Amino acid sequence: MMHVREPDWAYVARSLVKVLAVTAALFLAFSAADRMLWVFMDSDDERMVRLYGTAARIANPDKRLTHGYGDGRWLLKKSYTLLGEPRRAGPSEGETEYEIAENLFGTIQAPFLDGPSGSLADAIGSVDAELGVDEALTERVRKTIDELPQTLDAVAVVEFAHSMTTERLVAFNRRHRVCGGADVSYMYSPSYYDDSSEPASLNAVVWNRGMTEDDTQAGLTYQCETEPWAALTEFRRWVGLLDEGDDLSAFELDYGWLTGAAKEGVVYGLVVDRWKLAELGKLLDDPEVRTVHLADVAFDLGGMG
């Protein structure tokens, strides 16, 4: 009769304890090496937030990206996560997390922040430089807006017939009582595509002064009709923080594209958030406005009843 030897449970327990101890020691050593390595790399977390968090907001005007948080540093990467939601005319559907990661070699990855999507992306992509007045186009858009309830909220792009200097834009704001704020952003460059160049495409440069704030709910004071002056000053200040070697390709932006837009300082259109259709329709009477591209409309359910 064959006897089965009973396991030495004490030996098994000692072996398991040793494995756990070695695993814990390796984890602690790995964590310590990770922290020390990033110290020696002279990593600047604040600059990552200021540079790449703002670049993500510029390249993704289809999202309301509010604030973010750092996820700490690991041996292969460090990351910063932005919170936001799609920019739609209707009620909020809740925030989503968008990660920006940087590896040891300075390469940036932001797979969900590489540019706008959906109908607002189409509206932004429709804006071009110096297209001039098109009365037939203006009338088609006017007819569309007039056929809809004027109290609808809208997300839209107001395209100018010609690029606007800051002086002309301030005068435009005063004529129409357009007040600077979180619901008005300035397009300093239209998007670009040319498959014979490198890079082949670049995102539009869409700027709102709140983009440099890590928490846009912090109560930033806007300057109403004269806000374009403050917005351009802040945009130029931020661009001045850039280095030519900064990796902005994850956002389909680059140093020359941004510095050129800052130097030129003209506006090709406005991205407006949750404006009433009636307000947008009035802008079509101004010869400075080529057209209005509607991206989304919705009833303001909070204002009903």
Side-chain angles (χ1 to χ4, degrees):
M1 182 175 179
M2 188 174 188
H3 294 282
V4 179
R5 184 177 178 182
E6 289 290 330
D8 187 344
W9 293 111
Y11 174 78
V12 171
R14 288 195 301 271
S15 299
L16 181 59
V17 169
K18 288 179 181 178
V19 169
L20 292 174
V22 170
T23 301
L26 288 173
F27 176 78
L28 292 173
F30 183 87
S31 298
D34 162 32
R35 300 294 176 182
M36 291 300 295
L37 185 56
W38 279 109
V39 168
F40 287 123
M41 291 291 291
D42 192 27
S43 175
D44 186 347
D45 288 339
E46 183 179 346
R47 188 170 190 274
M48 182 181 185
V49 172
R50 187 172 62 243
L51 177 60
Y52 299 121
T54 302
R57 291 181 173 103
I58 290 172
N60 294 272
D62 63 318
K63 304 174 183 67
R64 298 184 189 99
L65 297 170
T66 54
H67 57 284
Y69 60 89
D71 297 332
R73 304 170 185 171
W74 298 97
L75 189 58
L76 297 179
K77 73 172 187 178
K78 62 176 180 175
S79 63
Y80 176 69
T81 299
L82 283 167
L83 300 178
E85 63 179 4
R87 194 181 299 277
R88 298 195 179 105
S92 171
E93 297 181 1
E95 289 187 320
T96 300
E97 294 185 340
Y98 301 93
E99 184 186 64
I100 303 170
E102 180 181 8
N103 66 23
L104 282 174
F105 304 102
T107 301
I108 301 297
Q109 293 180 320
F112 300 105
L113 293 171
D114 57 351
S117 61
S119 57
L120 186 51
D122 294 337
I124 290 169
S126 298
V127 176
D128 208 339
E130 312 299 337
L131 289 178
V133 175
D134 185 333
E135 293 182 0
L137 173 63
T138 303
E139 287 307 311
R140 286 199 301 273
V141 174
R142 190 193 309 277
K143 182 179 179 181
T144 298
I145 290 177
D146 287 347
E147 289 176 347
L148 293 169
Q150 298 299 287
T151 55
L152 285 176
D153 283 344
V155 172
V157 175
V158 179
E159 180 180 0
F160 296 135
H162 302 282
S163 59
M164 301 265 268
T165 63
T166 304
E167 293 87 349
R168 285 172 56 201
L169 187 52
V170 169
F172 177 88
N173 284 1
R174 284 176 171 153
R175 284 198 304 275
H176 299 286
R177 298 182 180 178
V178 175
C179 195
D183 60 353
V184 181
S185 298
Y186 309 96
M187 187 181 297
Y188 288 125
S189 280
S191 56
Y192 165 86
Y193 178 77
D194 181 355
D195 59 7
S196 66
S197 67
E198 180 57 42
S201 62
L202 289 166
N203 280 315
V205 177
V206 180
W207 180 265
N208 180 286
R209 195 154 62 96
M211 288 179 175
T212 53
E213 297 290 320
D214 188 45
D215 185 349
T216 56
Q217 309 302 316
L220 182 68
T221 301
Y222 291 92
Q223 299 177 17
C224 213
E225 292 97 337
T226 61
E227 177 63 20
W229 285 113
L232 180 57
T233 298
E234 183 65 9
F235 176 57
R236 286 173 168 168
R237 187 197 69 79
W238 179 79
V239 169
L241 302 175
L242 302 178
D243 295 328
E244 195 164 358
D246 288 327
D247 177 21
L248 299 169
S249 60
F251 313 104
E252 291 196 27
L253 299 170
D254 72 13
Y255 178 80
W257 187 240
L258 291 164
T259 54
K263 182 178 180 181
E264 189 177 21
V266 297
V267 175
Y268 294 88
L270 306 176
V271 177
V272 298
D273 191 3
R274 289 174 175 165
W275 278 29
K276 298 297 182 185
L277 275 186
E279 298 172 318
L280 290 168
K282 291 176 183 177
L283 296 184
L284 292 170
D285 295 328
D286 195 311
E288 298 269 23
V289 175
R290 173 178 166 81
T291 190
V292 172
H293 303 277
L294 294 178
D296 192 30
V297 294
F299 284 104
D300 179 8
L301 299 178
M304 299 179 67

